């Protein structure tokens, strides 16, 4: 192999990508991890993590560092350059086009993650991590006894608002329209919760709080600036935190051919292998259609993807024209997996 040809190419170095690299490396296949920024993904945007097994609590950047070092220890090579496209050649070779050149491999694991859709209002970026959050499961426990606001009108917003009532003294669900897009059964459940109120026909125009320029990271959200879209009336709402659920944008536009996906744009994968509809391309983490997006689910899916991709490479090297069929049937019968 030359220095740009590998057995497995992993795109994205968040928790899923680093876990995939770890397991691929331990399987003694040559693995490259391609990351456009710093390794860690969403871990770098999370100050304290308390829901990852084995750690009572750990700083996000510390967990990212440990995972990166562990993957490197088992031989994964890191390339820091944005990936722009995955080209599938006639013989099935995958070519990852990056700012640093092209990297070739028979198997690719896409763990490129995604980003919560932002409101784009004053204070949102400034108070991110200081009262502004995009994950109730991740951060809800930090807001015990607070009055919280949830912004959004879909299933995710209503579900997370209900979830947050277990921690908050009160939750105000804010939606710009006069009716929710969420399923009726969820909305009815929310209406029955005595700790949850709904504020319709309302948009948040700004997030404000204590000063951010004190140098001691003491800035904290204290209130929202609101506007009623029908009457144009302005008001404020005192809150200790705000959770934004207005959509998530998975980074699933890399492959140069159609990949099966759900209505949200997330890749559909085989649950036994994490393989997408394109043979030899696997997916894990936030790009994959799933029930929830947590570190634990990301690394679990990535473990499966790495082991399946390793078997794919091995079978392909033997000249097996249909590695998917061979090892998938074996896995379902309790063969090579585990």
């Amino acid at each position: 192999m030359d220095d740009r040809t590998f057995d497995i190419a992993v795109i994205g170095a968040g928790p899923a990508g680093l876990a995939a690299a770890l397991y691929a490396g331990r399987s003694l296949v040559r693995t490259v991890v391609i990351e456009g920024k710093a390794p860690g993904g969403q871990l770098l945007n999370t100050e304290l993590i308390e829901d990852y097994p084995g750690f009572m609590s750990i700083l996000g950047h510390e967990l990212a560092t440990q995972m990166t070092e562990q993957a490197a220890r088992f031989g994964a090579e890191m390339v820091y350059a944005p990936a722009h496209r995955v080209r599938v050649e006639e013989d099935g070779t995958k070519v990852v086009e990056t700012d640093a050149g092209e990297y070739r491999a028979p198997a690719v694991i896409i763990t490129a993650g995604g980003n919560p859709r932002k409101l784009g209002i004053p204070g949102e970026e400034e108070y991110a991590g200081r009262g502004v959050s995009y994950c109730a499961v991740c951060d809800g426990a930090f807001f015990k006894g607070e009055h919280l606001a949830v912004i959004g009108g879909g299933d995710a917003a209503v579900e997370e608002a209900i979830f947050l009532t277990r921690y908050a003294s009160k939750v105000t669900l804010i939606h710009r329209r006069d009716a929710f897009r969420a399923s009726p059964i969820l909305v009815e459940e929310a209406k029955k919760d005595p700790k949850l109120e709904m504020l319709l026909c309302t948009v948040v125009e700004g997030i404000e709080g204590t000063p951010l320029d004190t140098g001691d990271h003491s800035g904290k959200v204290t209130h929202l600036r609101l506007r009623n879209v029908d009457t144009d009336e302005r008001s404020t709402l005192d809150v200790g935190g705000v959770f934004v659920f207005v959509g998530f944008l998975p980074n699933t536009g890399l492959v140069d051919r159609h990949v099966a996906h759900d209505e949200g744009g997330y890749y559909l994968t085989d649950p036994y292998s994490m393989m997408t509809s394109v043979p030899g391309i696997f997916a894990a983490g936030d790009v994959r259609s799933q029930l929830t997006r947590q570190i634990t689910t990301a690394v679990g899916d990535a473990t499966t993807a790495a082991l399946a991709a390793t078997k794919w490479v091995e079978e392909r090297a033997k000249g097996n024209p249909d590695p998917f069929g061979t090892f998938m049937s074996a896995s379902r019968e309790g063969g090579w997996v585990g």
Side-chain angles (χ1 to χ4, degrees), residues 96-260:
V96 184
E97 301 174 4
T98 80
D99 283 354
E102 295 184 346
Y103 294 83
R104 307 171 69 85
V108 168
I109 304 174
I110 299 178
T111 59
N115 297 286
R117 192 184 298 274
K118 305 295 179 64
L119 296 169
I121 59 175
E124 181 178 19
E125 182 177 350
E126 293 85 346
Y127 286 97
R130 301 181 182 183
V132 175
S133 174
Y134 303 88
C135 179
V137 175
C138 307
D139 299 330
F142 296 118
F143 294 89
K144 289 181 180 178
E146 297 273 13
H147 179 185
L148 301 177
V150 173
I151 303 172
D155 282 355
V158 177
E159 286 174 348
E160 303 296 0
I162 294 170
F163 174 82
L164 286 169
T165 59
R166 68 184 65 187
Y167 302 111
S169 61
K170 182 179 181 180
V171 176
T172 300
L173 179 57
I174 303 170
H175 184 41
R176 61 182 177 174
R177 305 188 188 280
D178 61 358
F180 290 99
R181 292 180 290 105
S183 60
I185 191 169
L186 271 177
V187 176
E188 286 305 309
E189 183 181 351
K191 288 180 178 178
K192 294 176 182 176
D193 195 314
K195 294 173 68 175
L196 200 159
E197 69 172 7
M198 299 178 180
L199 202 55
L200 298 176
C201 301
T202 301
V203 294
V204 179
E205 294 192 322
I207 300 171
E208 298 180 347
T210 55
L212 291 164
D213 56 359
T214 59
D216 61 359
H217 302 286
S218 60
K220 183 180 182 298
V221 168
T222 58
H223 61 277
L224 308 179
R225 289 190 288 107
L226 308 178
R227 178 175 63 85
N228 184 291
V229 296
D230 290 337
T231 65
D232 209 37
E233 178 183 357
R234 262 75 173 181
S235 61
T236 62
L237 179 69
D238 292 338
V239 296
V242 54
F243 288 76
V244 181
F245 298 103
V246 293
F248 187 86
L249 303 173
N251 294 323
T252 53
L254 290 170
V255 185
D256 70 350
R257 59 180 62 187
H258 176 74
V259 184

Side-chain angles (χ1 to χ4, degrees), residues 271-296:
Y272 289 90
S273 68
M274 299 299 140
M275 185 180 282
T276 69
S277 60
V278 178
I281 294 183
F282 303 78
D286 288 352
V287 296
R288 177 179 172 267
S289 181
Q290 57 189 306
L291 176 63
T292 185
R293 293 189 294 271
Q294 295 294 301
I295 304 172
T296 48

